[in-house]
Amino acid sequence: MAWRMSTRTPASVAAGLMAVVLVGGAVVLPAYASFELLGELSILLTMLVLAQFWNLLAHHAGLVSLGQQAFVGIGAYGLFAAVIAYRLDPLPAILVGGASALVLAIPVAVLALRLGSVQFAIGTWVFAEAVRLGVTQWNAAGGGADLSLPLEAREGMLGADWVGATFDVEAAAARDILVYWSALALAVLTVGFVYRLLRTSGGLGMTAARVDLVTAQSVGVRPARMRWMVFLAAAFGTGVAGALIFLQGARVAPDTAFDMVQWTICVIFIVVIGGLGTIEGPILGVLAFYFLQRALVGYGDWLLAVLSVLAIAFMLFAPRGLWGIVHAATGLQLFPTRRRLVRNRGEVPPKKAAGN
Amino acid sequence: MRLENISKRFGAAKAVDDVSLDVRQGEALGIIGANGAGKTTLLDLVAGQLSADAGRIELMQRDFTRASAARRCRLGVGRTFQIPRPFEELTVFENLLVAAAHGTGRSERAVAEPCAQVLEQTGLMSRSDTPAASLSPFERRRLELARALATGPRLLLLDEITAGLTQSERDVILPIIRAQGAAIIWTEHVSRSMAALVDRLMVLDQGRVIAIGKPEQVLASREVRETYVALEL
């Protein structure tokens, strides 16, 4: 074998090492950080998860969804149902939230994945509203009123005793640490999953199908299969994130759980200003979102107005977002997916190509 | 590959009208005809971009009349488009990689070496990391051919692959085609360069086959000369 394929770059190797150090630092952060900061980081990490999955859906699979709030809400209600009705511990119940969203996504996919892009966007929005209305009318789910997690479930969470003893904190703080670690694990797994997926031949096929569907099919790409997989994976991940978000507050209501502005519009903002189509973009975008939120904390709905104007400005003047600006200036790629043909060591250099 | 009584209509117009033919392994069949004769529609029907209104398509003695384009590719049908359609966001190598991995069902790692061979064969090795969007028209044409070859075709469909090329550019492309062991169905508007390379030649007129046989016999036939008096034969 004279040739092999590689995606690795010097920057990606350095980024990998840096990521290990950062994640390691993030794991031990509860020993040093305030609980307010841990709470904010938990929200930030779950927003990053939502942004990564929306980016995967919209850019890579060509599925611009305006209904991701349905999966956030169902994830949250799945967790609450598992804890309240089945007395499950809240930590494993997070996965029940994801599974609930996954189950809901299957019939949605059957219908929505047959639609064109515009109809898909509208269809997912309508579906999310229908789910919100259904949950509002469902007595077992509170009939539109708030549901709270039982105190014993919150304070007796799996591992809370160990965390409380290790960090010398009370039960409520131990729960916050567990939620923060769960959010961190989910964010790391999500970024890893998206990066891995984009480096598979399925990921490359998905890109080809987005660029030119007819030609992609003519070289053997079966985009429907990948779109199904991405839609279901995004539903599961978004459901898990929803479960985590509402576990933190220990309270859920339909209007907050299925809030389109919070769980879809703000996520689109994060992706647009960070950089659509890259893994790095949503990471920068979520940081920008966090600092903007802090800067405009006393201005209520003005935050949304500022976000909207900024998003439009980015679409017009910097369509590749903040990461696009960084990449153009430095050439940096932390998560490279570009495949290159590399000659194996010890092989003779390639002949000069003919006939250009 | 065998076509039996294939027809395709677009509204009132018959694009392909009751066409039957077969192509054996390693054989090269040329198809000529004026604009609108049905050449590209016929290739679209074989490759699965269009479905036939009537008739039957067999590949390797199995009925694939209703099979998807992707499935046909995996079974060995590779094609080029009349107007090159590279995946512009991808590099030249990635264009081949996606075709090789999906067209053969093998892993990217396993097809890297065959892709390298096709790049060398088509003279695109020095452009392997170049985004396809920045290729010249001639390079796009070569990439079109290279991508079809990367799928490992047993039946190669070439849609006016030399259209718009200069003679020197054709001199680069034609030996690559000639070196293929696959069966070939090759359409061209201008026939001279193709006639010297194919085993049989077929002439289409308004979707119907008006002649098929040895190239020199077909080109010499009176009906073909009368129908295609305006063509450079």
Side-chain angles (χ1 to χ4, degrees), chain A residues 1-3 5 200-201 204-205 208 210 212 214-222 338-339 341 353-356, chain B residues 49 69-70 73-74 81 85 87 89 91 93-94 97-99 102-103 108 113 116 119 123 125-126 129 139 142 147:
Chain A
M1 295 279 278
W3 298 93
M5 187 202 71
T200 63
S201 63
L204 188 63
R210 178 174 50 76
D212 186 338
V214 171
T215 306
Q217 288 170 326
S218 81
V219 295
V221 176
R222 289 178 283 191
R338 188 63 98 202
R339 280 83 163 163
L341 197 56
N356 283 324
Chain B
Q49 274 77 45
C73 177
R74 283 173 177 243
F81 289 92
R85 299 171 71 153
F87 301 118
E89 277 184 26
T91 64
F93 172 58
E94 286 173 328
L97 195 65
V98 71
H102 287 267
E108 288 186 0
E113 181 78 26
L119 285 170
M125 182 55 91
S126 64
D129 290 338
E139 287 171 332
R142 278 193 288 171
R147 194 178 54 198

Side-chain angles (χ1 to χ4, degrees), chain A residues 40-64:
Chain A
E40 287 177 352
L41 285 176
S42 297
I43 292 288
L44 214 65
L45 289 165
T46 45
M47 290 301 277
L48 174 61
V49 171
L50 299 182
Q52 289 291 355
F53 277 119
W54 192 86
N55 186 35
L56 179 66
L57 273 176
H59 181 79
H60 297 287
L63 300 169
V64 179

Side-chain angles (χ1 to χ4, degrees), chain A residues 34-47 76 79-80 90-91 94 149 154 157 171-183 240-252 263:
Chain A
S34 70
F35 292 108
E36 187 194 2
L37 178 63
L38 287 185
E40 287 177 352
L41 285 176
S42 297
I43 292 288
L44 214 65
L45 289 165
T46 45
M47 290 301 277
L79 174 126
F80 276 66
L91 270 190
I94 293 169
L149 284 180
R154 277 185 271 160
M157 262 168 67
R175 184 196 65 195
D176 288 347
I177 291 174
L178 285 170
V179 169
Y180 163 74
W181 276 343
S182 302
V240 171
L244 261 174
I245 291 166
F246 287 89
L247 172 60
Q248 194 179 9
R251 183 180 290 270
V252 68
W263 310 128

Side-chain angles (χ1 to χ4, degrees), chain A residues 43-44 46-55 65-69 72 245 256 258-276 281-294 296 300-312 315:
Chain A
I43 292 288
L44 214 65
T46 45
M47 290 301 277
L48 174 61
V49 171
L50 299 182
Q52 289 291 355
F53 277 119
W54 192 86
N55 186 35
S65 169
L66 295 180
Q68 292 307 96
Q69 66 274 19
V72 172
I245 291 166
T256 48
F258 295 95
D259 185 353
M260 183 186 187
V261 171
Q262 184 69 25
W263 310 128
T264 298
I265 304 299
C266 286
V267 166
I268 294 174
F269 165 81
I270 287 169
V271 175
V272 167
I273 70 158
L276 188 67
I283 296 172
L284 278 187
V286 87
L287 290 172
F289 180 69
Y290 172 71
F291 288 116
L292 272 170
Q293 258 189 329
R294 285 189 72 99
L296 298 170
D301 287 346
W302 280 103
L303 172 66
L304 283 177
V306 171
L307 293 183
S308 308
V309 170
L310 259 179
I312 292 167
M315 282 187 266

Side-chain angles (χ1 to χ4, degrees), chain A residues 39 48 54 121-122 135 172 194 199 316 325 327:
Chain A
L48 174 61
W54 192 86
I122 296 168
V135 171
V194 173
R199 292 172 63 192
L316 287 174
I325 295 168
H327 177 67

